[in-house]
Each structure stands twice: as structure tokens, then as C-alpha cells.
Amino acid sequence: MKRIGIDVGGTNTDAVLINDGRVDGAVKASTTADVTGGILAAMRALRAQSGDGADVDAVLVGTTHFINAVIQRKQLHKVAAIRIGAPATTALPPFCDWPRDLAHLVDGGIWMIEGGHDYDGRRFMPLNVTQVREAAREIRRRGLAYAAVTAMFSPLDPSDEDAVAAILQEEVPGISVTCSHMLGGIGVLERENAALLNAALIALARDTVKGFEEAMRSSGIDAPLFITQNDGTVAAAAHAVALPVYSFASGPTNSMRGGAYLSSLQEAVVADVGGTTTDFGHLQNGFPRQANTVVHIGGVRTLFRMPDLISIGLGGGSLVDTEKMTIGPQSVGFRLTQEALVFGGTQLTGTDIAVAAGLLDIGERQRVAHLPAALIKGALRRAQAMVEEHVDRIKTAAGGVTLLAVGGGAFLIPDRLEGVDRVIRTEHGGCANAVGAAIAQVSGDVDQVFQDLSRTEAVAKARALADERAVEAGADASTLSLVEAEDIPIAYLPGNALRVRVKVVGDINSRQGSTPNARDVRHQHA
Amino acid sequence: MRELSADDIEALAVGAWILGTGGGGSPYHGLLNMRRLYDEGLRVTLMDPQALADGDDVAVVSYMGAPLVTQERLVDSRMTARSVEVMEEYIGRKFRAVMAIEIGGGNAMQPLMAAAHLKIPVVDADAMGRAYPEAQMTTFAVGDLAPAPLTSIDPRGNEVIVSRAATWKWMERTSRKVCTEFGSIAATCKAPRTGAEVKRWGIPYTTTKAINLGKAVMDANRRHEDPIAAILKAERGKRLLAGKVVEVERRTTEGFLRGRAVLESDGRETIVLDFQNEWTVAWHDGRPLASTPELICVLDSDSGEAIGTEMVRYGQRVTVIVLPSPEIFLTPRGLQNVGPRAFGHDIDFRSVFSS
């Protein structure tokens, strides 16, 4: 099976061709503003390296485009914010903890309506359907095309959100609705924030995926397109466009998954060293460990299932301060090949130090020959101390760990480190992110409350539902396996209520392709 | 009497979280609520407890309930204000001022939220000086003041008055039951206190203390100085250990979050911290090093931000400090209510400041 994995980062677009599990080609191109140009350039380079792509089975793309849109406040659409939970929660309405500039761009109007549930599954208030209809008509009058619906305790009982979404679709033809229960757990403000961001990004997600498809067509590739997600799995493009926030952290996730694949390690701390930053993460069972705390995106609090990452300002382009003997966080970034000493520039960077120390052979070495040995040693020792400290912070228990060093700046990581048993580097580690995209599987998640069923029946039902969702998202049904399952009893609810969380993964179904199933994303399609 | 600035309220949220000693719930929602009220032009003034006349009536407010539920139901300043109004209707008198029962954690914001709507001042005092998990763990209970009446409010129009309670324990049980029925969250106005009672049994100047703590941390961070040193200087505290968390163990029993965290200093010295919602006892080599009622605070070594018992985890760089206890809790009666034995540890209290 031939797959192309592409990682569209802020600076570089990396692409790899994987043929029956072997890396057959790996290239880097500069990312362009329209995204498509960078992909086209990468595909051209890949073709030059490993032949035409006519027989490719699938293309899998990871992108930081959506998270960058939030951070840079670009290409966001106005969203109707509907909160179900009045008369509670109204003192803290939607957008109340957003940075003002971002709220100004996204806030299309706020509707707070009676309804919602309590922690024990009891109804808090009956859903006020009259108010919902009035809101829907007002949304239509205002010409809003995107809505986010958040109901109190919807992770335990999503019925109010589903009901509101159905009414909106009836009253506002073509509206795109994001329901918060698809995006997060307990914490109404954080879950709502995720839903609002998601709704604001759907138009961009559609355009971006269209751009990906055009780039593939122009490159002569006729294969299904998949988009990578925060948890290291992919979804068929048609499915993924409805949930762009699920792709927020795909860059670091793909690097970790790619590193796991290239090294065959299932358990390791990963350091992904780029041009400006190093991301530290922790692989468990070959997947990134998930954070269980609040994650800020562009100043907005959310509770996404995101990989637990620590980012520090250390990379190949980091500036070295010769007086304070520090390295980073300032960086020359994508201007490395003009501004670093070895490339004829005037800035002393981490790359120059590595070349001077003989760790790396790029540019012109004689341009750094004058650097004093004490400076080289001091800068490397500083980088080492930074890495040691953060490896220790990311690991979950005392004792030595295996450190997997990936990314274009991995040369900054020494072979011997305190608290690290061994440092592993792999061939193609510089393109680990694109490899991670290329090898990704498809997942199906369920997090739902089941009633009047035995524990076994409830888990089986959740499993069946997760399987169904995975197939809808583009998985081959015959390859599905269970990777996560937990069940939590809920007190005070009639009929033995049980909250069940299940996750399955399977290989991509390259025959099905990106044609969406009609039931694809409930209440989320346009 | 002075008007609190928006900056004072930001600092109060930071300081109250530190005084929460690991529990008390985050002041974040209360802070958001106060920011909105200040944006609308409402203001709050802070009153010296010594300015109260003996016969003044003071309302004592707090939110009751489970932190998990607060994440979905949020807080609402109008409900806090309503709990005070219901109490006024019941006792037939207007309050001169409002105060906190618990300065540690989210409840530090509650009197400000009520005061903004009711246009009465906030008394610069509370009855815990920190956070504690139960209603009898207050200076008012130590002083054997009347535990009733209490009002409990739900946003759907349900309002309950507990008119009498035989003991503080009974008040805890009865009001907890009402709270559970409301969905495990309620805005409450506790038994009203007279000015004389507040002056005799309240812990004075704890609002100012929390604000100063928060300012010390925020200023130190702004100047890139050590926030922990700033806290110790502001509050005559003692540093127990700086190091990292090497082990955490948690369990939920009888509605409390219990467990322990093991910390190791750079010099390989270890201490063990027990918690029951809040940090209760610090151990070294099986011997108690510090305990409640003195305040054991675990802070992020870099930012000075408090780390709650729900959030503590392996690898965090933390500094453990101890802040002095209010005098009232050091009396035999005080120690009976909030000393180590009140949390199931069969040890005598010994102050870290006595040696």
C-alpha cells in the first residue's frame, strides 16, 4: 500500500511517501499563504524523488492552519452562541472569558434559553422550545450561517443539544451547527469555547480541504484524502471539515506518532526540535499521552483532548546570547538560511553552534571557525540543561526514560542526559511529522450515558456505536480494535445509568475514500 | 472604608487561591462575574471590622456544593445577593455589611458579589482565614455562636430557610441535604452576626491579606523576581521545601477528596503531604513537620501560583510554605474543631513557628 503523508506547518510543508511501511521519499518545501502552493511544491519534489503518484492509495494531511487562524485572528466567521441552562449560568454568558478582539470577530449574538440537565442526569429545566424557535428565526433574520449549541451537563445527556440543532436546521436552511457534547467533557465554559471556535472555523476548514483536494488533482493523484487529528488518528476529509478543532494539535501529535513508527518504540519521551521551539511529549502505547487540564488556544480556555505537551523556545534557529550564555527563546525562524552565520548571515544561532561543534554539516563551516570553544561548550550545555529539565517535567514517574529525538533541530540534543537511559534518533526523523500523518489510523469515539442496560450490554452497545462512527470516518471495518474503554456509574438516576467511554481504531479504508456517508456527522453538516 | 479597584479584585483571586491551601475551589468564575459587574459600573467598598457598631447586623455568605457541579452551573452574583435578601426578609432587619465565611478559594469572591448588588460594604474579615471543608470548622463555631438561621437559594425559584439547628454539625447536615436536592449547588447566607460577634470572633483583615498576597505574586512576576520570596516576606511565612512532586495518590471517600503527595527536594530530602480537600499534615520521616490549623500551601516554584489537591501531579516543580494560623484556632477549643485530630490524624499540633 502506498500512502503520502503531508504536514503543513507554519514554516515548512513536509511530505513523505510510504510504500508498504517503508519510507520511499521524504521532502521539505516552504509553506505558502494559500497552503496549496506549498503542497504542490512538496508533491513535485516527492515525484522527482520517487516517481509519479498515480498508484497512491491515500493521502493523509496534518495542518496547523486552523489553530493558526485562531492565534492570528484570521478567516474566522461569526457564530450564533446558544446556551441551554437558564435560569442558571446566565451571569457568565458565552464569550465572557474571551480576549476582546477575538470575541468581536466571532460573536454573532447570544441566546440563553431554559433547559439542561443536572450532574445526576435529572432534568434541570424543561427545554423551552418556544424560545429555541424564536432564537432560530432571529438567527435566520440576521443571516448567520454558523451556530454553537451548549447545554448544561450535555456530556451526560446530549438530548437538549440534539433537539436544538434539529430545530435550527429546520428553521435556518443551510446552517452549520456545532454541538458542544461532541467536543469536550464537564466544564460548561470551556466546552462552549471549543464549540464556538469550531463553528467559527468550519468555513475555513471547507476551503482548506478544497485546496488540498485541488493540489492533489493538479498533482495527478486520485486517492482519498484524510485529515489528521489531535489524538494521532485521521478522519476522512468530508468528516473532518465539520470538526476543525480536532485538528488543532496535529503537528506535535504527528511528530510523536511518526517517531514511534520510525523507532518502533511504544513508550518514550519525545523531543521534537524545530526551528523555533521544542515540544516535549510522552508516548504511551504508541500514542501521545493526553492532557487532563485546561488548554488555552489563542487566549481562550478549552478542555480539548490534546496531547500533554511542554513547548520551550529552543530550536535550530534559536539565537545565542553570548553574554548571558543563553539560547532562545528568540529565533530567526524561517529566515535561518539567510540569517545564520553558516549561511552568510550575521546571527549566531543553535545551528551555527552545532556546525561549529561538528554535530552537523550544513552551510559553510569556516564561517563559524572563529567561535571560542568555551562559547560552543557553554551554549550546548545550556541546551542540554533545558532538555533535561523538561524531559523530567513531562515524564510521569521517577527513573530513567528513553528519549526519542526527532525534528529538523534534533542535533541540539546530546546523546547523554541526566534522567535519560538512552537517546534514540531515526532515519527520516526530520520528517517524523509527515510520517506520523502517513501511518495514521482512523478512530471512533463514544462518550455517552446508557440506561436500563447491564454493564456488559452498555459497553457492547457503546462499542458497536464507536465501530459505526469509525467506519463513517473512513475506517476499514475488518481492522477495528478497541484501544480505550471505561465505564462510570452515575448516582441518583433511575434505571442504572452508566457513562461509557469507548475508543476504537482501525486502518483507513482506501476504497471508500472521501465520499461522506449520509449520516456522517450528526447535526454538523451544512 | 475604601473602594476596591479592579486590580484589587484580580489580586484577591490570586491570593484567595493561595489561602485555599489546596482546596476551596478556584475563584475563577467569581472573578469573571466581578469583572462583568465592574464593567457595568458597579463598585464594592471594603470596611474595617472595627468600624462596625456592636449592634450592626452582618450577613455571612458562601456557595455550597461540589466543585464538579460548579463547572456546569457556574456562580451568579444575583443569587448570592438574593440569599442575603431572603435573610433580611426573615429576620426583618437590613444588613449593615456582608462578609465571607471562607477567604480561601472561590468563596472569597462571594461577599463582593452580593455587595455589588446590595450597595453595602464588605467587612475585611472571615471565619476561617483559609479554606476548610465543613461548616463547623469556623471561628464562629469555636466561639459557640448560634448556627442558625440559614438561607439556601436555587435559581429556579426555590428558597429554603433553616430556622433552627441544635448544633453546627446539625446545620451542616441539614443544609447539605437541601443543597444536594438543588443539584449539589446552592447560594447560602449563613447565620447573621452582630458587629460585636464579628469583632470578637471574626478573623480580621483577611480580605486585605489575600489582596496583598496576590499583589506580591503578581508584582514579583511582573518584575521577574521570585514570587515565593515575595509571599514569605508579605506574610511572615516559612519555606518547608522546594523540589518536585514524585508521587501522588488520590481517593474519594465520604464525599471528600483524600490522599497524599510525596515531594522531594533537590537535596533528596522528602516530605509527604496528606490532604482532605485541603492540605492537612506535612510529614518527614514519619514525624509531623507541619499541620492544620497552620496553612500548608503548595505553590508552583516559578509562578507562585497555588496548586490544588485536585491538580497536583508528578513532575511539578513546587515550593511548600507554611503560613501562620489565626490565633483563635490555636486555643484548645479551636484545635478541637480544626486541629489534626479533626481530620483523623492522631497527633498533637506543634507550630512550625515555635522552634
Side-chain angles (χ1 to χ4, degrees), chain A residues 73-345:
Chain A
R73 319 297 202 228
K74 280 180 190 160
Q75 296 173 283
L76 300 167
H77 281 73
K78 289 241 187 272
V79 176
I82 301 170
R83 167 94 63 80
I84 310 297
T89 79
T90 56
L92 304 181
F95 301 106
C96 71
D97 63 346
W98 282 43
R100 268 183 201 170
D101 61 331
L102 189 59
H104 180 73
L105 289 174
V106 178
D107 183 354
I110 292 170
W111 288 267
M112 293 191 280
I113 293 169
E114 286 168 7
H117 289 81
D118 263 331
Y119 74 99
D120 52 7
R122 284 185 300 180
R123 222 173 217 305
F124 174 69
M125 287 286 278
L127 178 64
N128 190 325
V129 176
T130 314
Q131 288 178 354
V132 177
R133 293 233 175 250
E134 280 165 14
R137 284 171 198 150
E138 176 63 21
I139 286 165
R140 185 177 180 173
R141 266 194 297 279
R142 293 195 195 177
L144 293 163
Y146 304 91
V149 183
T150 309
M152 194 194 291
F153 278 109
S154 66
L156 297 185
D157 189 333
S159 57
D160 280 1
E161 289 185 359
D162 288 342
V164 172
I167 292 172
L168 282 171
Q169 263 144 9
E170 222 176 277
E171 299 276 352
V172 192
I175 194 164
S176 170
V177 185
T178 300
C179 289
S180 80
H181 72 268
M182 302 294 286
L183 295 169
I186 302 297
V188 75
L189 291 183
E190 293 81 6
R191 190 173 68 249
E192 176 176 75
N193 286 345
L196 291 166
L197 286 176
N198 192 75
L201 284 167
I202 283 181
L204 175 65
R206 282 191 199 128
D207 289 348
T208 306
V209 167
K210 206 178 285 170
F212 291 164
E213 285 166 344
E214 273 164 27
M216 282 166 56
R217 251 195 312 279
S218 313
S219 306
I221 294 170
D222 177 26
L225 175 67
F226 293 83
I227 307 296
T228 70
Q229 306 190 309
N230 300 336
D231 64 356
T233 64
V234 290
H239 186 103
V241 290
L243 296 168
V245 295
Y246 270 3
S247 301
F248 269 174
S250 60
T253 300
N254 286 340
S255 293
M256 291 172 70
R257 291 279 297 143
Y261 180 80
L262 292 169
S263 65
S264 304
L265 290 170
Q266 294 291 298
E267 305 281 331
V269 170
V270 181
D272 178 13
V273 192
T276 303
T277 57
T278 297
D279 292 329
F280 295 90
H282 194 192
L283 278 173
Q284 287 176 329
N285 300 319
F287 280 86
R289 183 178 82 221
Q290 303 288 309
N292 53 5
T293 50
V294 167
V295 180
H296 283 90
I297 308 280
V300 179
R301 272 167 74 101
T302 65
L303 284 171
F304 289 122
R305 299 274 288 168
M306 298 269 265
D308 202 354
L309 289 175
I310 302 177
S311 286
I312 60 168
L314 174 69
S318 291
L319 291 175
V320 177
D321 184 326
T322 52
E323 265 168 38
K324 290 191 209 142
M325 201 43 106
T326 55
I327 175 162
Q330 267 76 45
S331 165
V332 297
F334 64 89
R335 298 183 311 274
L336 181 75
T337 51
Q338 291 110 59
E339 300 197 357
L341 292 182
V342 289
F343 295 111

Side-chain angles (χ1 to χ4, degrees), chain B residues 19-156:
Chain B
L19 293 176
T21 64
S26 160
Y28 181 65
H29 291 146
L31 174 63
L32 288 180
N33 201 153
M34 284 309 301
R35 279 184 194 158
R36 290 182 61 78
L37 297 180
Y38 263 57
D39 283 349
E40 287 166 21
L42 299 179
R43 289 294 178 270
V44 175
T45 56
L46 192 63
M47 178 184 192
D48 189 319
Q50 293 307 323
L52 287 168
D54 285 355
D56 281 343
D57 285 300
V58 178
V60 184
V61 293
S62 77
Y63 252 63
M64 234 177 139
L68 175 95
V69 175
T70 317
Q71 293 301 309
E72 289 287 318
R73 290 268 288 260
L74 307 179
V75 296
D76 189 334
S77 54
R78 291 160 304 189
M79 280 192 25
T80 312
R82 180 65 197 150
S83 75
V84 175
E85 286 169 350
V86 172
M87 186 62 85
E88 286 180 332
E89 288 163 16
Y90 180 68
I91 64 172
R93 296 188 303 275
K94 290 280 181 191
F95 285 110
R96 169 75 183 88
V98 58
M99 70 179 278
I101 192 87
E102 178 180 42
I103 197 67
N107 275 329
M109 291 290 169
Q110 290 296 324
L112 280 69
M113 290 158 65
H117 293 289
L118 300 169
K119 321 277 184 215
I120 53 175
V122 170
V123 180
D124 191 355
D126 80 316
M128 290 187 182
R130 49 174 292 167
Y132 275 126
E134 293 184 71
Q136 74 277 7
M137 295 177 167
T138 65
T139 51
F140 296 153
V142 172
D144 220 5
L145 307 184
L150 171 144
T151 66
S152 188
I153 308 296
D154 169 89
R156 289 164 287 193

